[in-house]
Amino acid sequence: MLEPDNIVANHPKIYQRNRTLYAIVNPVETVITKNESILLGQCVCRNEWSTPLNNIEDGSYALIRSNNEMTEIVSDSVGSRTLWYYSNKDIFIVSTSQRAIVLFLDTFEFNDKVIPWMLSTGSLGPDFSWDKRLRKLKASSSLLLDKNSWELEEKANEISFPKSKRSFKEHKEVLLNAINSTFKNVSFDFHKWILPLSGGHDCRAILYLIKNTVQNPGNIRSITWGLADSLHEKGNDAYVAYRVAQATGIQHKYYPTDISNETPEVILKRFIENGEGRIDHISGYADGFTIWKTLFEDGVEGIIRGDEGFGWVTAASSLRVRYHLGCALCTDYSNLMDYRKYGIPEQEYPKYMLQQDSESMNTWRDRLYHQYRIPTVLSALSDLKLGYVEQSTPLLSDNIIRAVRTLPDWMRTEKLLFKKIVHDFRPRLEYATSSATSAPKNILNSNDMVDLLRKEMKSPHAISLFSAEFLEMVAKNALISQGDTHKPSLRDKLKLLFIKFAPQWIKNRIASNRKLAVDPNILMFRVYVIIYMHRLLSK
């Protein structure tokens, strides 16, 4: 039930000893196990990583490790891989899959706190799960089960950005040393691993760092995906990635995502079930996961992703911080401000996500990126692929994150220091200025897709979760694409000119407190995800 439905998955790996049982769905050799312990990702440990309470020096990982006395689950500095857990007086369950726990318990208790978060962010929110009994292990945390007393003890390290008096040169040296140290301790067999390559700094850095540590760079395999036409558009992710691969002499392959034989029903089913409805970012999956099926059947066992935490974009207000990080509230959007009148539960904003008195806006922004965006949004995007392949995210390693948190705000803003480091790498090549994938609203506004989503708004299951007034409003506002028949107005043209030529400080000032609206088709899709997951888990 948990395997992707478009592949013949590997036989599950099942382990049972004494009172401990685990199973790995569609296991690949890149997932490391030892006795009762499982390592997801990669870590550096001077002692045995599989022994509870042993210190982890570096890595990007989620650990489940156990012996006769205790079981410990551990997250890395940013919670790059999500572990969910449940416990009562008889059983302790931990899994990367919420659905697995619900299936094992054979009951489901819907958590309506996720509803406003899915509507405003397209995610489950900071610490919530579909089932109110499930808990999420937070970033930089561990949970210890004493098997004799059957008591749980949770330890969470404070996520802080301590001030440092280092010079720019010293900061650069510390960060570069942390990056080099991490990459000296990772190795990839490129018969099994591939590098997704875009036109940005993150995967470029990974490529150059790996290329300098392997004996035969020609063995490195990379891929890019996006719209078929993107490969020929200058400045596009696909166009730039192809030329980077050529210049560095690595193998490269492009996968178009707008070519699919699947129906809208299958595309949505596969997207929601593979990711368990944790995220609404459907852009790269309009092919119905054909790319991931192909990679799995070609023997690819792992991907090296460029997820990172070097800093985030300039923000002119707390509202813009919430928008940029994907943690805006319903009240932050003009078309969701009155969400409570539709009977939708009140949205809860955890205290730890508020800006502290001692924090500048930019420090708060980057703390939220580490404490919210990576474990909530980026980890959810990882879940979409993990049914097919294992994943490594070396730029999220503990050593690198610790170095980043000592940087002053201005070196993190727009990832300034990291970009300067990458600019020193050779050969110097252009960076992309546009994405190769289609915007979500372009995928969700076809006739067939809108008809499917609108039909669900009238279903008995939808009516059991939402008021008829809310569902009618959502369905009525959805738009169907008019293709290329729409000609830009004078206002549209002036707006584009302003975006292109106006100084950034003017754009920031104008945008600082202007409320946006959630795209109506994206909003309808988010409602669909809630209905779909409620129905699926209720079964």
Side-chain angles (χ1 to χ4, degrees):
M1 295 177 75
L2 298 176
E3 293 168 353
D5 68 359
N6 61 336
I7 61 171
V8 179
N10 296 318
H11 191 71
K13 178 174 182 177
I14 297 174
Y15 173 96
Q16 185 171 7
R17 181 186 174 193
N18 299 327
R19 296 184 296 164
T20 298
L21 168 71
Y22 72 70
I24 301 176
V25 177
N26 194 25
V28 291
E29 291 182 10
T30 44
V31 175
I32 301 170
T33 64
K34 183 172 182 180
N35 299 327
E36 302 174 24
S37 303
I38 305 169
L39 167 59
L40 302 171
Q42 294 174 317
C43 73
V44 178
C45 184
R46 290 176 190 168
N47 299 307
E48 179 52 60
W49 67 266
S50 62
T51 302
L53 301 180
N54 274 353
N55 187 46
I56 304 298
E57 280 80 31
D58 192 21
S60 175
Y61 51 83
L63 288 176
I64 304 169
R65 48 190 185 175
S66 190
N67 58 24
N68 291 333
E69 290 76 37
M70 61 190 73
T71 292
E72 183 188 28
I73 62 175
V74 188
S75 62
D76 60 23
S77 298
V78 288
S80 62
R81 300 280 285 265
T82 304
L83 293 175
W84 309 93
Y85 66 92
Y86 165 89
S87 67
N88 62 22
K89 62 184 178 65
D90 298 312
I91 193 167
F92 174 75
I93 311 175
V94 58
S95 180
T96 57
S97 165
Q98 297 180 61
R99 195 174 166 207
I101 301 177
V102 171
L103 283 165
F104 196 93
L105 294 174
D106 202 28
T107 58
F108 173 54
E109 296 183 16
F110 181 55
N111 185 5
D112 62 5
K113 292 180 179 179
V114 305
I115 293 178
W117 282 99
M118 181 57 70
L119 296 180
S120 67
T121 71
S123 76
L124 296 182
D127 304 309
F128 305 125
S129 60
W130 288 110
D131 190 305
K132 64 177 67 173
R133 300 166 299 176
L134 274 56
R135 297 288 177 265
K136 177 182 178 180
L137 184 66
K138 295 180 180 180
S140 196
S141 297
S142 68
L143 184 77
L144 189 69
L145 169 70
D146 185 316
K147 291 183 178 179
N148 295 314
S149 66
W150 208 249
E151 293 179 349
L152 290 173
E153 180 184 2
E154 185 170 5
K155 295 181 180 179
N157 297 313
E158 182 184 2
I159 295 180
S160 62
F161 286 67
K163 289 182 171 60
S164 170
K165 295 182 179 180
R166 296 188 190 114
S167 65
F168 178 85
K169 182 179 179 181
E170 289 169 332
H171 274 299
K172 185 177 179 182
E173 184 178 350
V174 167
L175 182 56
L176 184 56
N177 286 341
I179 292 171
N180 286 331
S181 172
T182 291
F183 276 84
K184 284 178 183 176
N185 287 306
V186 297
S187 60
F188 302 101
D189 177 355
F190 280 97
H191 292 100
K192 298 176 181 178
W193 288 84
I194 57 169
L195 171 65
L197 191 61
S198 68
H201 291 77
D202 315 324
C203 56
R204 184 84 54 89
I206 292 175
L207 171 59
Y208 285 9
L209 288 161
I210 291 176
K211 187 172 178 289
N212 291 336
T213 60
V214 298
Q215 291 183 341
N216 185 3
N219 289 334
I220 298 176
R221 294 191 294 164
S222 66
I223 62 168
T224 306
W225 59 84
L227 302 176
D229 292 341
S230 296
L231 197 56
H232 309 292
E233 294 178 7
K234 287 189 175 182
N236 187 280
D237 263 332
Y239 180 91
V240 172
Y242 177 72
R243 275 144 188 80
V244 170
Q246 279 188 319
T248 54
I250 65 172
Q251 302 173 50
H252 187 68
K253 188 172 183 179
Y254 186 71
Y255 293 88
T257 57
D258 50 347
I259 300 173
S260 177
N261 296 322
E262 306 290 5
T263 63
E265 289 92 340
V266 170
I267 290 171
L268 294 188
K269 172 185 183 296
R270 205 164 279 157
F271 175 78
I272 296 172
E273 292 190 13
N274 284 350
E276 299 194 338
R278 288 186 64 191
I279 198 72
D280 72 339
H281 293 24
I282 197 171
S283 299
Y285 306 93
D287 66 341
F289 287 79
T290 300
I291 293 171
W292 301 99
K293 167 185 168 68
T294 304
L295 292 175
F296 171 75
E297 292 176 348
D298 286 348
V300 172
E301 294 190 0
I303 59 170
I304 311 160
R305 281 186 58 80
D307 297 349
E308 45 73 31
F310 292 108
W312 203 226
V313 296
T314 303
S317 68
S318 58
L319 177 64
R320 306 317 285 189
V321 169
R322 293 196 295 275
Y323 282 153
H324 290 323
L325 290 169
C327 59
L329 301 167
C330 287
T331 50
D332 291 329
Y333 290 100
S334 59
N335 57 340
L336 285 176
M337 289 179 63
D338 298 328
Y339 75 103
R340 292 288 285 144
K341 80 174 185 181
Y342 297 110
I344 293 167
E346 186 172 1
Q347 192 166 20
E348 299 178 15
Y349 205 74
K351 287 184 179 180
Y352 74 82
M353 289 180 62
L354 298 172
Q355 184 177 357
Q356 306 301 311
D357 292 340
S358 60
E359 288 182 317
S360 67
M361 186 176 295
N362 289 327
T363 300
W364 174 54
R365 171 202 67 197
D366 291 339
R367 178 175 65 81
L368 275 187
Y369 195 97
H370 288 189
Q371 204 165 5
Y372 169 83
R373 186 169 179 82
I374 295 174
T376 302
V377 177
L378 300 192
S379 69
L381 290 171
S382 297
D383 275 1
L384 289 161
K385 301 110 170 158
L386 291 174
Y388 301 87
V389 294
E390 174 61 344
Q391 176 175 296
S392 175
T393 51
L395 293 179
L396 292 180
S397 292
D398 293 332
N399 274 350
I400 296 175
I401 294 298
R402 282 192 289 265
V404 168
R405 289 176 182 167
T406 66
L407 301 178
D409 288 349
W410 66 274
M411 290 190 203
R412 293 191 314 272
T413 299
E414 305 289 347
K415 301 191 289 190
L416 183 143
L417 180 57
F418 172 64
K419 288 180 178 178
K420 284 189 177 296
I421 288 174
V422 180
H423 287 168
D424 291 340
F425 295 164
R426 297 291 186 276
R428 283 185 178 172
L429 301 165
E430 65 177 312
Y431 292 94
T433 56
S434 61
S435 173
T437 58
S438 179
K441 63 182 180 181
N442 295 335
I443 296 167
L444 298 170
N445 64 5
S446 68
N447 275 303
D448 290 345
M449 193 67 80
V450 171
D451 287 346
L452 172 63
L453 297 177
R454 278 182 175 159
K455 182 179 179 182
E456 187 60 67
M457 300 303 107
K458 298 177 182 179
S459 71
H461 211 95
I463 295 169
S464 73
L465 288 171
F466 296 98
S467 70
E469 183 185 7
F470 177 74
L471 293 169
E472 183 181 356
M473 179 272 291
V474 170
K476 182 179 70 175
N477 290 337
L479 303 172
I480 296 175
S481 173
Q482 301 301 313
D484 297 326
T485 59
H486 173 69
K487 293 183 179 180
S489 64
L490 177 60
R491 182 178 179 180
D492 292 336
K493 292 177 180 177
L494 290 173
K495 185 177 179 181
L496 289 172
L497 287 172
F498 175 80
I499 291 172
K500 186 174 182 179
F501 294 110
Q504 188 62 46
W505 70 270
I506 293 179
K507 288 187 280 189
N508 288 345
R509 185 72 176 268
I510 292 174
S512 60
N513 289 302
R514 182 173 62 87
K515 289 196 173 183
L516 303 178
V518 178
D519 178 89
N521 291 53
I522 292 176
L523 179 60
M524 186 161 63
F525 176 52
R526 291 174 179 177
V527 174
Y528 181 92
V529 170
I530 296 169
I531 299 166
Y532 191 103
M533 285 304 299
H534 187 279
R535 180 190 289 116
L536 179 69
L537 294 171
S538 295
K539 285 182 180 179

Coordinates of all heavy atoms in Angstrom, one line a residue, residues 323-360:
Y323 N 5.8 35.4 3.8 CA 5.5 35.0 2.4 C 6.7 34.2 1.8 O 6.5 33.1 1.2 CB 5.3 36.2 1.5 CG 3.9 36.9 1.6 CD1 3.7 38.2 1.4 CD2 2.8 36.1 2.0 CE1 2.5 38.8 1.5 CE2 1.5 36.7 2.1 CZ 1.4 38.1 1.8 OH 0.2 38.7 1.9
H324 N 7.9 34.8 2.0 CA 9.1 34.2 1.3 C 9.4 32.8 1.9 O 9.9 31.9 1.2 CB 10.3 35.1 1.6 CG 10.3 36.4 0.8 ND1 9.8 36.4 -0.5 CD2 10.7 37.6 1.1 CE1 9.9 37.7 -0.9 NE2 10.4 38.4 0.0
L325 N 9.1 32.5 3.2 CA 9.4 31.3 3.8 C 8.3 30.2 3.7 O 8.4 29.1 4.1 CB 9.8 31.5 5.3 CG 11.1 32.2 5.5 CD1 11.3 32.6 6.9 CD2 12.3 31.3 5.1
G326 N 7.1 30.6 3.2 CA 6.0 29.7 3.1 C 5.3 29.4 4.4 O 4.8 28.3 4.6
C327 N 5.3 30.4 5.3 CA 4.6 30.2 6.6 C 3.7 31.4 6.9 O 3.4 31.7 8.0 CB 5.6 30.0 7.7 SG 6.8 31.4 8.0
A328 N 3.1 31.9 5.8 CA 2.1 33.0 6.0 C 0.8 32.4 6.5 O 0.4 31.3 6.2 CB 1.9 33.7 4.6
L329 N 0.1 33.3 7.2 CA -1.2 32.9 7.8 C -2.3 33.2 6.9 O -2.2 33.9 5.9 CB -1.4 33.6 9.1 CG -0.3 33.4 10.2 CD1 -0.5 34.5 11.3 CD2 -0.4 32.0 10.8
C330 N -3.5 32.5 7.1 CA -4.6 32.8 6.3 C -4.9 34.3 6.4 O -5.3 34.9 5.3 CB -5.9 32.1 6.9 SG -5.8 30.3 6.5
T331 N -4.8 35.0 7.5 CA -5.1 36.4 7.6 C -4.1 37.3 6.9 O -4.3 38.5 6.7 CB -5.1 36.8 9.1 OG1 -3.9 36.3 9.7 CG2 -6.3 36.2 9.8
D332 N -3.0 36.7 6.3 CA -2.0 37.4 5.5 C -2.5 37.5 4.1 O -1.8 38.2 3.3 CB -0.6 36.7 5.6 CG 0.0 36.9 7.0 OD1 -0.3 37.9 7.7 OD2 0.8 36.0 7.3
Y333 N -3.5 36.8 3.7 CA -4.0 36.8 2.3 C -5.3 37.5 2.2 O -6.2 37.2 3.0 CB -4.0 35.4 1.8 CG -2.7 34.7 1.6 CD1 -2.2 33.8 2.6 CD2 -1.9 35.0 0.5 CE1 -0.9 33.3 2.4 CE2 -0.7 34.4 0.3 CZ -0.2 33.6 1.3 OH 1.1 33.0 1.1
S334 N -5.5 38.3 1.2 CA -6.7 39.0 1.0 C -7.9 38.1 0.8 O -9.1 38.5 1.2 CB -6.6 40.0 -0.2 OG -6.3 39.3 -1.4
N335 N -7.8 37.0 0.2 CA -8.9 36.1 -0.1 C -9.1 35.0 0.9 O -9.9 34.1 0.8 CB -8.8 35.5 -1.5 CG -7.6 34.7 -1.7 OD1 -6.6 34.9 -1.1 ND2 -7.6 33.8 -2.8
L336 N -8.3 35.0 2.0 CA -8.5 34.1 3.1 C -8.6 34.8 4.5 O -8.7 34.1 5.5 CB -7.3 33.1 3.2 CG -7.2 32.0 2.1 CD1 -5.9 31.2 2.3 CD2 -8.4 31.1 2.2
M337 N -8.7 36.1 4.5 CA -8.7 36.8 5.7 C -10.0 36.4 6.6 O -9.9 36.4 7.8 CB -8.8 38.3 5.5 CG -7.5 38.9 4.9 SD -7.6 40.7 4.6 CE -7.9 41.3 6.2
D338 N -11.1 36.1 5.9 CA -12.3 35.8 6.6 C -12.5 34.3 6.8 O -13.6 33.8 6.9 CB -13.5 36.4 5.9 CG -13.4 37.9 5.8 OD1 -12.9 38.5 6.8 OD2 -13.9 38.5 4.8
Y339 N -11.4 33.5 6.9 CA -11.5 32.1 6.9 C -12.3 31.5 8.0 O -13.0 30.5 7.9 CB -10.1 31.4 6.9 CG -9.4 31.5 8.2 CD1 -9.3 30.4 9.0 CD2 -8.8 32.7 8.6 CE1 -8.6 30.4 10.2 CE2 -8.1 32.7 9.8 CZ -8.0 31.6 10.7 OH -7.3 31.7 11.8
R340 N -12.3 32.2 9.2 CA -13.0 31.7 10.4 C -14.5 31.8 10.2 O -15.3 30.9 10.8 CB -12.7 32.6 11.6 CG -11.2 32.5 12.0 CD -11.0 31.1 12.7 NE -11.6 31.1 14.0 CZ -12.1 30.0 14.6 NH1 -12.2 28.9 13.9 NH2 -12.6 30.0 15.8
K341 N -15.1 32.6 9.3 CA -16.5 32.7 9.1 C -17.0 31.5 8.4 O -18.3 31.2 8.4 CB -16.9 34.0 8.3 CG -16.7 33.9 6.8 CD -17.3 35.1 6.2 CE -17.2 35.0 4.7 NZ -17.7 36.2 4.0
Y342 N -16.1 30.7 7.8 CA -16.5 29.5 7.1 C -16.4 28.2 8.0 O -16.6 27.1 7.6 CB -15.6 29.2 5.9 CG -15.8 30.3 4.8 CD1 -14.7 31.2 4.6 CD2 -16.9 30.4 4.0 CE1 -14.8 32.2 3.6 CE2 -17.1 31.4 3.1 CZ -16.0 32.3 2.8 OH -16.1 33.2 1.9
G343 N -16.2 28.5 9.3 CA -16.1 27.3 10.2 C -14.7 26.6 10.2 O -14.6 25.5 10.8
I344 N -13.7 27.2 9.6 CA -12.4 26.6 9.5 C -11.7 26.9 10.9 O -11.8 28.0 11.4 CB -11.6 27.2 8.4 CG1 -12.2 26.8 7.0 CG2 -10.1 26.8 8.4 CD1 -11.7 27.6 5.8
P345 N -11.0 25.8 11.4 CA -10.4 26.0 12.8 C -9.4 27.2 12.8 O -8.8 27.5 11.8 CB -9.7 24.7 13.0 CG -10.4 23.7 12.1 CD -10.9 24.5 10.9
E346 N -9.2 27.7 14.0 CA -8.3 28.9 14.1 C -6.8 28.4 13.9 O -6.4 27.3 14.3 CB -8.4 29.5 15.5 CG -7.6 30.7 15.7 CD -7.9 31.4 17.0 OE1 -8.7 30.9 17.8 OE2 -7.3 32.4 17.3
Q347 N -6.1 29.2 13.2 CA -4.7 28.9 12.9 C -3.8 29.2 14.0 O -3.8 30.4 14.5 CB -4.3 29.6 11.6 CG -3.0 29.2 11.0 CD -2.8 29.7 9.6 OE1 -3.4 30.7 9.2 NE2 -2.0 29.1 8.8
E348 N -3.0 28.3 14.5 CA -2.1 28.5 15.6 C -0.7 28.7 15.1 O -0.2 27.9 14.4 CB -2.2 27.2 16.5 CG -3.6 26.9 17.1 CD -3.6 25.7 18.0 OE1 -2.5 25.2 18.4 OE2 -4.7 25.2 18.2
Y349 N -0.1 29.8 15.6 CA 1.3 30.1 15.2 C 2.1 29.9 16.5 O 2.0 30.6 17.5 CB 1.3 31.6 14.8 CG 2.5 31.9 13.9 CD1 2.4 31.5 12.6 CD2 3.6 32.7 14.3 CE1 3.5 31.8 11.7 CE2 4.6 33.0 13.5 CZ 4.5 32.6 12.1 OH 5.6 32.9 11.3
P350 N 3.0 28.9 16.4 CA 3.8 28.6 17.6 C 4.7 29.8 18.1 O 5.2 30.5 17.3 CB 4.7 27.4 17.1 CG 4.0 26.9 15.9 CD 3.3 28.0 15.3
K351 N 4.9 29.9 19.4 CA 5.7 31.0 19.9 C 7.1 31.0 19.4 O 7.7 32.1 19.2 CB 5.6 30.9 21.5 CG 4.3 31.3 22.1 CD 4.4 31.3 23.6 CE 3.1 31.7 24.2 NZ 3.2 31.7 25.7
Y352 N 7.7 29.8 19.2 CA 9.1 29.8 18.8 C 9.3 30.3 17.4 O 10.4 30.7 17.0 CB 9.7 28.4 18.9 CG 9.2 27.4 17.8 CD1 9.8 27.4 16.5 CD2 8.2 26.5 18.1 CE1 9.3 26.5 15.6 CE2 7.7 25.6 17.1 CZ 8.3 25.6 15.9 OH 7.9 24.7 14.9
M353 N 8.2 30.5 16.6 CA 8.3 31.0 15.3 C 8.2 32.5 15.2 O 8.3 33.1 14.2 CB 7.2 30.4 14.4 CG 7.5 28.9 14.0 SD 6.3 28.1 12.9 CE 6.5 29.2 11.5
L354 N 7.8 33.1 16.4 CA 7.8 34.6 16.4 C 9.1 35.2 16.5 O 10.1 34.6 17.0 CB 6.9 35.0 17.6 CG 5.5 34.5 17.7 CD1 4.9 34.9 19.1 CD2 4.7 35.2 16.6
Q355 N 9.3 36.4 16.0 CA 10.6 37.1 16.1 C 10.9 37.5 17.5 O 10.0 38.0 18.3 CB 10.5 38.4 15.2 CG 11.9 39.1 15.2 CD 11.8 40.4 14.3 OE1 10.8 40.6 13.6 NE2 12.9 41.1 14.3
Q356 N 12.1 37.1 18.0 CA 12.4 37.4 19.4 C 13.0 38.8 19.5 O 13.4 39.4 18.6 CB 13.5 36.4 19.8 CG 13.1 34.9 19.6 CD 11.9 34.5 20.4 OE1 11.8 34.8 21.6 NE2 10.9 33.9 19.7
D357 N 12.9 39.3 20.7 CA 13.4 40.7 21.0 C 14.8 40.9 20.6 O 15.2 42.0 20.1 CB 13.2 41.1 22.5 CG 11.7 41.2 22.9 OD1 10.9 41.4 21.9 OD2 11.4 41.1 24.0
S358 N 15.6 39.8 20.8 CA 17.1 39.9 20.5 C 17.4 39.7 19.0 O 18.6 39.8 18.6 CB 17.8 38.9 21.3 OG 17.3 37.6 21.0
E359 N 16.4 39.4 18.2 CA 16.7 39.1 16.8 C 16.4 40.2 15.9 O 15.3 40.9 16.0 CB 15.8 37.9 16.4 CG 16.1 36.5 16.9 CD 15.2 35.4 16.4 OE1 14.0 35.6 16.4 OE2 15.8 34.4 16.1
S360 N 17.3 40.4 14.9 CA 17.0 41.3 13.8 C 16.0 40.6 12.9 O 15.8 39.4 13.0 CB 18.3 41.6 13.0 OG 18.8 40.5 12.4

